[in-house]
């Protein structure tokens, strides 16, 4: 039986379950049946053949009690782990035994429980909101599969005193595994949260992570978000982060992609209030046959918002990259200030990047700029460094590191910045060998 | 120290250097002057090992070794330094980190132990004082947004850090204000010993007031057409290149 058929059977079972999430699942299942998996002719999936991942027999086992231990987790831990709030998903399911919430200001519960809580209205309004922007079978698949997901809220006027670390772990020791972690995160008025997340595949079987995180950022809240993707070369993922700014708020998102088979990111910023201030940074540094695809959407709904988007890529070996940056400025969104830039360096003849800005502007008094470049390392720079005694290979990796620097600098917590810097430096030294 | 014999070089089939002969001995200061486009920077680039230029004839010996056989980084290791006419901007790399790597790579080439952080800082402080350059400038991205004068001063700083045997200064004085020229010259003079040498490429006499040359050469149309002592520079400042151009344009 094909992967899609077995998954569908499970989704049918889930949809029939009479729990609080059933209506959401049922609607998404309809959408999934309607969309199917994205075909290459799908405009948003032209260069990212995600359907191929499903050619394997993938197991999706959301009810499986899992064998992942704290010991197994160790290789994936990010610096500062001991002090942090920790959420662990194993094969897409919240693993309470491995997770801990230390901050009194953070409340954490299953999505099912949230539907029964005082947050029911909030959850109903936001769970699946990303589907309004991502009309494809992959997003629908996640929502149709809702199981083991988590609702988190950071309370009003509280800065979470500890950051939140999220680990998305896939156990691929026995079988090819499909993981679908799901989070709905809410930052109440004037709340602040620093969050970092990463992905880890255990074992040598294939893994595919279809993650959706939906975030609601209310008035005066501050959300700082770091996504570190350095999973195994045989692990693929579609990682969706959909952020609604429902009040004047601040978002700072940094996406660092270093490894994976197919890595597709959807980062959406929906600015629904005036005077929102948002920053999206990305650095991808790929090798082998890795494929990285960053799709971003900035939707300016209200006036006076500012967004700043800056992605950089270093592509080695036969790696391939996609950058697609959409900026919508709606009719009411006067005085929008939107900046976008994507710069790429190819360090191999076999590497390639497709980059495409897409601006749709319906207001007349706005400032939008965008630019993209795909180039090689600057020969003048290489010669300059070599003329000071720096060997060719060292000069090149130093220049690449310098190129990455302004994105690395956007990682505000120093231990995390140093950690990522080390990974990037090692990668670049390796690339140049 | 440096012995250039009948050096010919060009780019993309275009001949630029058409037979250069030049001998520089330890302790000497040589100045090269000449009209725009005559090949001065090309000569400097070929000596530093820029691969865009093709050497089509002649030879260059540096301390008894065939310089043209070496890569640019090996030439630096051998003690050659070029202060660029147009220093390159490198966003994201500070001069401090650049020099830390460069100094230690050169030491490695020479079979010396790398400097540790403390020793490096000490060396840097000493050279900063020498060329009167600020810490702020050295921690910023290399040459990015530097004024013309700051870029040149940074070149002199790098030279001081690397303590070369032969320093080639390609128009290091252009863009410098009067005080800065004096400071830059002071930096050059401070690292001079009887064992090393300086080759100054300049359009103006002013720098030569401070770095007094033993020999002055005029490069025109890819050849050294005239050589003399420091008085030649003064003479050129008076008369310009008209006479030389008319004498040699069909040479
Ligand atoms: N990369 C290159 N491609 C094509 N022509 C070049 C290149 N580099 C130098 N040339 C040419 O070679 C000639 C010599 O240039 P060079 O820069 O050596 O002159 P210069 O004597 O340093 O001049 P200036 O005093 O203006 O600095 C010029 O005609 C220049 O246009
Ligand atoms: Mg020149």
């Amino acid at each position: 039986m094909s992967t899609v058929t077995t998954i569908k059977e499970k989704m049918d079972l889930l949809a029939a379950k009479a729990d609080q999430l059933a209506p959401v699942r049922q609607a998404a299942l309809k959408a999934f049946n309607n969309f199917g998996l994205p075909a290459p002719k799908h405009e948003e999936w032209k260069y990212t053949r995600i359907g191929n991942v499903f050619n394997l027999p993938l197991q999706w086992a959301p009810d499986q009690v899992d064998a992942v231990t704290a010991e197994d987790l160790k290789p994936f831990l990010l610096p500062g782990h001991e002090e942090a709030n920790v959420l662990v998903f194993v094969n897409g399911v919240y693993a309470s035994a491995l997770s801990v919430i230390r901050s009194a200001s953070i409340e954490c519960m299953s999505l099912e429980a949230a539907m029964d809580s005082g947050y029911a209205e909030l959850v109903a309004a936001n769970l699946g909101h990303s589907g309004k922007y991502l009309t494809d079978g992959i997003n629908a698949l996640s929502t149709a599969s809702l199981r083991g997901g988590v609702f988190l809220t950071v309370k009003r006027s509280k800065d979470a005193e500890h950051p939140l670390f999220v680990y998305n772990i896939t156990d691929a020791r026995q079988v090819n595994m499909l993981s679908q972690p799901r989070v709905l995160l809410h930052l109440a008025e004037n709340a602040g949260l620093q969050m970092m997340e990463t992905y880890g595949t255990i074992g040598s079987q294939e893994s595919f992570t279809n993650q959706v995180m939906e975030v609601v950022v209310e008035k005066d809240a501050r959300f700082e978000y770091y996504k570190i993707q350095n999973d195994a070369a045989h692990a693929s993922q579609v990682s969706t982060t959909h952020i609604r700014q429902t009040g004047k708020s601040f978002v700072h998102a940094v996406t660092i992609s270093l490894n994976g088979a197919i890595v597709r990111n959807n980062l959406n910023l929906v600015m629904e209030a005036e005077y929102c201030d948002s920053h999206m940074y990305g650095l991808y540094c790929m090798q082998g046959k890795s494929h990285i695809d960053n799709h971003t959407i900035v939707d300016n709904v209200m006036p006076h918002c500012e967004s700043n988007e800056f992605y950089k890529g270093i592509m080695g070996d036969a790696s391939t990259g996609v950058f697609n940056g959409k900026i919508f400025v709606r009719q009411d969104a006067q005085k929008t200030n939107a900046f976008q830039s994507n710069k790429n360096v190819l360090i191999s003849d076999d590497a390639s990047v497709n980059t495409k800005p897409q601006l749709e502007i319906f207001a007349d008094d706005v400032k939008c700029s965008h630019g993209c470049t795909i180039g090689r390392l600057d020969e003048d720079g290489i010669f300059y460094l070599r003329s000071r005694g720096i060997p060719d290979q060292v000069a090149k990796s130093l220049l690449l590191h310098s190129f990455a620097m302004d994105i690395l600098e956007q990682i505000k917590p120093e231990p995390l910045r140093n950690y990522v810097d080390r990974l990037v430096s090692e990668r670049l030294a390796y690339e140049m060998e | 120290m440096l012995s250039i014999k009948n050096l010919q070089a060009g780019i993309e089939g275009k001949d630029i250097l058409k037979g250069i002969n030049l001998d520089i001995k330890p302790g000497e200061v040589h100045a090269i002057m000449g009209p725009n486009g005559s090949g001065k920077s090309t000569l400097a680039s070929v000596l530093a090992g820029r691969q865009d230029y093709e050497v089509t004839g002649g030879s260059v010996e540096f301390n008894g070794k065939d310089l043209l056989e070496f890569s640019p980084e090996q030439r630096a290791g051998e003690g050659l330094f070029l202060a660029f006419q147009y220093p390159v901007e490198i966003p994201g790399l500070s001069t401090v980190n650049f020099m830390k790597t460069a100094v230690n790579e050169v030491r490695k080439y020479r079979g010396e132990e790398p400097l540790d952080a403390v020793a490096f800082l000490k060396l840097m402080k000493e050279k900063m004082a020498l060329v009167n350059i600020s810490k702020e400038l050295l921690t910023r991205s290399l040459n990015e947004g530097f004024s013309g004068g700051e870029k040149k001063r940074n070149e002199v700083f790098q030279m001081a850090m690397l303590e070369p045997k032969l320093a080639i200064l390609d128009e290091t004085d252009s863009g410098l204000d009067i005080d800065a020229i004096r400071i830059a010259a002071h930096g050059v003079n401070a690292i001079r010993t009887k064992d090393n040498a300086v080759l100054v490429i300049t359009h103006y006499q002013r720098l030569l007031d401070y770095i007094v040359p033993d020999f002055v050469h005029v490069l025109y149309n890819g050849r050294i057409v005239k050589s003399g002592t420091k008085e030649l520079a003064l003479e050129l400042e008076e008369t310009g290149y008209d006479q030389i151009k008319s004498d040699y344009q069909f040479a």
Side-chain angles (χ1 to χ4, degrees):
Chain A
M1 230 187 311
S2 84
T3 296
V4 174
T5 317
T6 50
I7 290 174
K8 265 192 186 169
E9 275 178 5
K10 287 199 176 163
M11 286 195 295
D12 285 337
L13 283 176
L14 264 181
K17 265 182 80 135
D19 68 14
Q20 305 87 331
L21 298 175
V24 186
R25 281 195 212 101
Q26 280 159 10
L29 183 58
K30 242 186 233 150
F32 178 78
N33 288 331
N34 181 23
F35 294 134
L37 291 173
K41 67 177 195 298
H42 192 298
E43 191 53 37
E44 306 304 328
W45 293 90
K46 214 155 119 191
Y47 303 104
T48 300
R49 306 289 171 88
I50 204 66
N52 293 351
V53 171
F54 292 84
N55 293 342
L56 303 158
L58 274 177
Q59 205 179 100
W60 176 47
D63 289 304
Q64 194 174 295
V65 181
D66 211 83
V68 171
T69 64
E71 194 61 30
D72 296 329
L73 208 58
K74 276 194 178 152
F76 309 112
L77 298 185
L78 299 173
H81 175 86
E82 296 73 18
E83 309 284 302
N85 298 294
V86 176
L87 270 194
V88 179
F89 288 86
V90 174
N91 296 344
V93 176
Y94 172 60
S96 58
L98 299 171
S99 304
V100 56
I101 298 295
R102 296 175 207 271
S103 299
S105 57
I106 297 182
E107 220 178 315
C108 171
M109 63 191 85
S110 73
L111 282 172
E112 286 85 350
M115 283 297 245
D116 268 341
S117 72
Y119 298 107
E121 211 173 300
L122 179 86
V123 176
N126 287 289
L127 190 63
H129 195 274
S130 58
K132 295 196 167 121
Y133 287 77
L134 306 170
T135 48
D136 61 52
I138 292 289
N139 185 270
L141 177 64
S142 167
T143 306
S145 311
L146 281 173
R147 186 101 184 110
V150 165
F151 171 71
L152 279 164
T153 176
V154 186
K155 286 182 200 150
R156 197 188 152 89
S157 301
K158 284 267 169 69
D159 254 320
E161 52 285 29
H162 307 283
L164 172 68
F165 286 26
V166 178
Y167 298 97
N168 300 291
I169 305 297
T170 302
D171 183 357
R173 283 177 288 203
Q174 317 293 336
V175 293
N176 302 322
M177 190 60 83
L178 167 66
S179 287
Q180 302 200 74
R182 185 91 185 201
V183 170
L184 177 60
L185 171 64
H186 170 235
L187 273 72
E189 196 174 314
N190 204 18
L193 181 71
Q194 191 177 66
M195 168 177 167
M196 16 282 216
E197 70 174 334
T198 192
Y199 306 78
T201 293
I202 304 172
S204 56
Q205 306 295 318
E206 312 280 325
S207 84
F208 175 52
T209 302
N210 180 26
Q211 178 202 23
V212 175
M213 181 168 86
E214 290 162 322
V215 187
V216 184
V217 186
E218 289 200 32
K219 183 168 167 285
D220 296 327
R222 298 159 307 282
F223 181 46
E224 209 182 298
Y225 174 61
Y226 303 99
K227 189 197 293 273
I228 315 293
Q229 298 170 309
N230 191 26
D231 203 349
H234 62 274
S236 290
Q237 62 171 292
V238 176
S239 174
T240 297
T241 306
H242 179 81
I243 304 172
R244 289 180 75 183
Q245 293 181 273
T246 58
K248 167 186 173 290
S249 55
F250 173 79
V251 172
H252 178 92
V254 184
T255 305
I256 306 284
S257 313
L258 299 173
N259 207 5
I262 295 176
V263 178
R264 161 65 175 258
N265 295 314
N266 298 309
L267 177 57
N268 304 340
L269 264 173
V270 187
M271 303 168 104
E272 300 174 15
E274 291 188 65
Y275 298 102
C276 287
D277 181 12
S278 303
H279 304 259
M280 313 156 91
Y281 300 95
L283 173 68
Y284 43 97
C285 214
M286 306 311 263
Q287 62 181 0
K289 289 184 173 171
S290 290
H291 177 79
I292 172 74
D293 175 352
N294 279 296
H295 263 66
T296 66
I297 298 175
V298 176
D299 188 7
N300 289 277
V301 180
M302 296 294 282
H304 298 289
C305 288
E306 245 187 81
S307 67
N308 179 30
E309 177 173 14
F310 195 12
Y311 274 68
K312 281 187 163 184
I314 298 172
M315 306 297 290
D317 298 337
S319 63
T320 48
V322 178
F323 176 83
N324 181 295
K326 289 190 186 58
I327 298 177
F328 300 115
V329 182
R330 312 260 166 172
Q331 205 160 7
D332 291 339
Q334 300 294 355
K335 306 280 179 197
T336 288
N337 205 338
F339 168 82
Q340 181 189 86
S341 159
N342 173 233
K343 293 185 177 167
N344 299 280
V345 177
L346 306 181
I347 54 177
S348 144
D349 290 338
D350 300 325
S352 65
V353 173
N354 270 293
T355 173
K356 184 176 169 195
Q358 227 175 309
L359 276 61
E360 291 185 29
I361 300 172
F362 302 101
D364 45 28
D365 187 11
V366 301
K367 263 197 233 155
C368 287
S369 66
H370 65 89
C372 50
T373 58
I374 302 173
R376 296 267 169 181
L377 269 182
D378 173 33
E379 288 294 334
D380 288 342
I382 297 171
F383 177 65
Y384 190 48
L385 266 57
R386 292 180 72 187
S387 77
R388 301 308 186 236
I390 300 173
D392 188 40
Q393 301 300 309
V394 182
K396 284 175 180 161
S397 56
L398 209 55
L399 286 174
L400 290 172
H401 188 265
S402 309
F403 172 75
M405 202 60 198
D406 48 4
I407 305 295
L408 292 173
E409 277 169 354
Q410 296 303 331
I411 304 177
K412 294 179 188 177
E414 198 183 331
L416 186 70
R417 187 172 62 245
N418 292 341
Y419 169 83
V420 173
D421 195 322
R422 207 176 54 244
L423 292 177
V424 170
S425 301
E426 281 167 12
R427 165 60 50 80
L428 296 178
Y430 165 85
E431 290 282 9
M432 283 301 146
E433 264 167 23
Chain B
M1 164 173 283
L2 185 75
S3 171
I4 304 175
K5 292 209 165 64
N6 192 27
L7 181 65
Q8 297 155 54
I11 192 160
E12 286 155 10
K14 172 183 171 183
D15 295 332
I16 303 175
L17 303 182
K18 300 168 183 169
I20 303 265
N21 292 294
L22 182 64
D23 265 298
I24 301 180
K25 297 198 172 58
E28 289 179 350
V29 174
H30 289 240
I32 292 184
M33 304 180 82
N36 294 130
S38 58
K40 302 180 299 296
S41 293
T42 302
L43 174 63
S45 296
V46 168
L47 292 177
R50 198 179 189 110
Q51 275 140 355
D52 310 352
Y53 298 98
E54 193 196 348
V55 175
T56 49
S59 66
V60 181
E61 221 176 71
F62 185 52
N63 290 321
K65 297 176 186 164
D66 181 359
L67 186 72
L68 300 177
E69 283 296 305
F70 289 124
S71 67
E73 56 269 33
Q74 288 170 326
R75 296 177 197 208
E78 293 289 331
L80 189 107
F81 181 91
L82 168 63
F84 283 50
Q85 181 175 3
Y86 303 108
V88 183
E89 299 188 3
I90 316 261
L93 177 65
S94 69
T95 306
V96 176
N97 283 337
F98 175 34
M99 278 297 107
K100 210 177 275 173
T101 310
V103 165
N104 281 331
E105 288 292 348
V106 166
R107 292 180 69 88
K108 193 197 276 178
Y109 181 84
R110 295 177 185 162
E112 297 163 2
E113 287 295 306
L115 292 185
D116 62 21
V118 177
F120 177 79
L121 208 66
K122 186 165 165 281
L123 177 71
M124 202 175 78
K125 282 215 170 119
E126 186 188 308
K127 305 302 184 186
M128 277 166 66
L130 188 67
V131 300
N132 199 5
I133 198 166
S134 73
K135 183 86 194 264
E136 189 268 337
L137 207 60
L138 299 182
T139 49
R140 268 167 56 184
S141 281
L142 184 56
N143 292 325
E144 192 190 32
F146 284 24
S147 75
E150 286 169 339
K151 285 182 184 172
K152 296 304 174 77
R153 191 178 294 217
N154 190 280
E155 293 291 291
V156 179
F157 169 73
Q158 293 173 33
M159 179 201 69
M161 288 295 289
L162 293 168
E163 298 177 340
K165 291 189 187 124
L166 174 66
I168 303 168
L169 308 177
D170 191 358
E171 294 198 28
T172 301
D173 50 343
S174 16
L176 288 183
D177 64 42
I178 298 160
D179 291 338
I181 288 183
R182 204 159 19 81
I183 293 161
H186 173 67
V188 174
N189 288 327
I191 65 151
R192 281 183 60 192
T193 67
K194 62 176 182 18
D195 299 321
N196 58 25
V198 183
L199 177 61
V200 187
I201 296 169
T202 184
H203 286 295
Y204 307 105
Q205 167 60 31
R206 175 162 284 132
L207 181 67
L208 304 180
D209 287 341
Y210 301 107
I211 308 174
V212 182
D214 302 297
F215 300 97
V216 175
H217 312 276
V218 179
L219 187 64
Y220 177 60
N221 200 9
R223 288 189 183 88
I224 289 179
V225 294
K226 198 166 184 179
S227 294
T229 51
K230 63 174 189 282
E231 288 71 26
L232 177 56
L234 291 166
E235 198 181 299
L236 288 170
E237 187 123 299
E238 287 288 310
T239 62
Y241 294 114
D242 281 353
Q243 189 60 43
I244 284 174
K245 282 185 182 169
S246 68
D247 284 356
Y248 290 96
Q249 66 183 333
F250 303 111

